[in-house]
Amino acid sequence: MQDSDTIERMRIAGRIAAQAMEEAAKHIAPGVTTDELDRVAHEFLCDHGAYPSTLGYRGFPKSLCSSVNEVICHGIPDSTVLKDGDIVNLDVTAYIHGVHGDNNATYLCGDVDEESRLLVERTRESLNRAIKAVKPGRQVNIIGRVIESYAKRFGYGVVRDFTGHGINSSFHSGLIIPHYDSPHHTTVMQPGMTFTIEPMLTLGTHEYDMWDDGWTVVTKDRKRTAQFEHTLVVTETGADILTLP
């Protein structure tokens, strides 16, 4: 449980992370490299007194994750050039005043096909529904139950091996928030708990391959995938989102 001072510091970190992500997203366009998006976010975070939590984390070399099309998560920005019709997830975490704020969103690059556009829209909706399910006294597995039941309506895969997580002065505390219906995750939510919810939905299988870089995770069938994430705190009545710009 975090005290009110920690939560307010996390709100500052979350706001800066959300603003940095928004700033980088303004530059998403055909012909732009993912390295350029990383540069924009890095500069924004530093200009606002924050450190990019991903930079150097377990050897991760960049200031954000850029995951394009079939990349589920943890894509490393590089010379990859965005193309018209791509979907691009940006994941930005800010560290300031001793705490972290973590968020991500999937954006459309140029003219995107209807199937991909709907995947993005519905993945955002799955996060919104999951946040509404947060209530003190409930087990955390309600979160995954809500996400999976919604995703199943459309035949989407729900990634299982990458989860939401506790966050505070640690980037990843021990708490795990699964996005699928798991009977094993029975931690009871209590006011003051801080964690992320970050569903990853796919157009095909939830199974994945890992690139040799040890970070980049892609769908096994190479079909597209989308993700959205907020950091939040459990309140007396529900959830308060800490990553709002």
Side-chain angles (χ1 to χ4, degrees), residues 21-240:
M21 184 175 73
E22 276 195 345
E23 194 58 38
K26 288 177 189 170
H27 294 76
I28 291 174
V32 175
T33 64
T34 53
D35 253 343
E36 173 64 9
L37 304 178
D38 180 74
R39 184 194 67 76
V40 172
H42 180 90
E43 281 190 6
F44 187 96
L45 291 167
C46 293
D47 288 349
H48 289 78
Y51 184 85
S53 303
T54 56
L55 185 58
Y57 177 76
R58 296 184 179 171
F60 192 85
K62 295 296 173 98
S63 298
L64 58 68
C65 301
S66 56
S67 302
V68 182
N69 295 336
E70 75 275 12
V71 180
I72 294 171
C73 58
H74 305 156
I76 301 173
D78 58 13
S79 57
T80 297
V81 176
L82 297 178
K83 300 189 299 296
D84 186 56
D86 283 346
I87 59 173
V88 189
N89 180 274
L90 300 182
D91 192 331
V92 180
T93 309
Y95 180 73
I96 187 171
H97 304 318
V99 294
H100 299 267
D102 184 2
N103 70 163
N104 77 55
T106 304
Y107 299 91
L108 310 181
C109 179
D111 187 21
V112 175
D113 69 89
E114 179 76 353
E115 185 180 42
S116 300
R117 198 181 59 70
L118 283 172
L119 173 70
V120 170
E121 195 178 289
R122 289 164 176 166
T123 305
R124 181 193 285 115
E125 175 63 15
S126 78
L127 173 60
N128 292 340
R129 287 172 180 238
I131 291 170
K132 288 193 178 88
V134 172
K135 295 275 189 303
R138 289 181 170 176
Q139 295 178 352
V140 296
N141 57 20
I142 184 73
I143 293 167
R145 193 170 307 134
V146 165
I147 291 166
E148 187 169 44
S149 65
Y150 180 70
K152 271 185 173 168
R153 285 198 215 169
F154 311 104
Y156 296 153
V158 181
V159 173
R160 302 168 79 89
D161 289 1
F162 300 90
T163 66
H165 53 88
I167 183 170
N168 40 63
S169 56
S170 303
F171 188 0
H172 297 85
S173 77
L175 180 65
I176 292 172
I177 308 291
H179 303 118
Y180 62 97
D181 190 357
S182 164
H184 308 298
H185 292 82
T186 55
T187 304
V188 174
M189 293 184 266
Q190 298 173 42
M193 279 175 74
T194 48
F195 53 82
T196 70
I197 305 177
E198 45 187 300
M200 292 149 258
L201 304 186
T202 67
L203 288 175
T205 182
H206 68 269
E207 295 178 357
Y208 66 91
D209 292 321
M210 174 87 73
W211 283 7
D212 291 342
D213 62 22
W215 284 104
T216 308
V217 179
V218 296
T219 54
K220 195 171 265 299
D221 57 11
R222 304 299 188 264
K223 290 188 175 176
R224 287 185 169 190
T225 174
Q227 182 184 19
F228 284 83
E229 173 186 24
H230 275 306
T231 296
L232 48 91
V233 59
V234 181
T235 66
E236 298 291 343
T237 55
D240 184 12

